[in-house]
Amino acid sequence: LFSIVDPPGAIPVYVAMTSDRSQPERNKIALMTSLYFVLILASFFLAGSYILSFFGLTVPSLRCAGGLTLLISVFRL
C-alpha cells in the first residue's frame, strides 16, 4: 500500500498546493487527507474481492492485465 500512495512523491504536490495557507490549516489538511487515504484503502482492502467478483474478474486475470499494461508502457518508452 505504501507504493500505491507514494508519500515522498506527494510531498511536492502538497507543498505547492498549500503554500498560501497557515501552518495550522496545512496540518489539518494533511491529517484529513491521511484519514481519507486510510479509509479508501481499507475499504478496498476489505471489499476488494467482492468488487472483483461483481464484475466477474479474478485476481490472476487482474495480475495478467496489470502486467500487460506495464509491458505496453515499457515498449512505448
Side-chain angles (χ1 to χ4, degrees):
L1 295 177
F2 188 78
S3 63
I4 294 171
V5 177
D6 187 26
I11 290 172
V13 176
Y14 169 75
V15 170
M17 293 181 73
T18 60
S19 61
D20 60 336
R21 311 268 178 143
S22 66
Q23 188 63 35
E25 194 173 5
R26 290 171 69 176
N27 291 341
K28 183 179 177 184
I29 290 171
L31 177 66
M32 294 306 293
T33 303
S34 300
L35 290 176
Y36 290 145
F37 266 122
V38 167
L39 289 174
I40 290 169
L41 290 174
S43 64
F44 277 104
F45 178 73
L46 296 173
S49 60
Y50 298 115
I51 294 169
L52 288 176
S53 65
F54 175 77
F55 289 109
L57 299 171
T58 63
V59 174
S61 66
L62 193 62
R63 286 181 183 168
C64 182
L68 289 173
T69 303
L70 286 174
L71 182 69
I72 290 170
S73 68
V74 166
F75 280 133
R76 288 187 182 167
L77 289 176

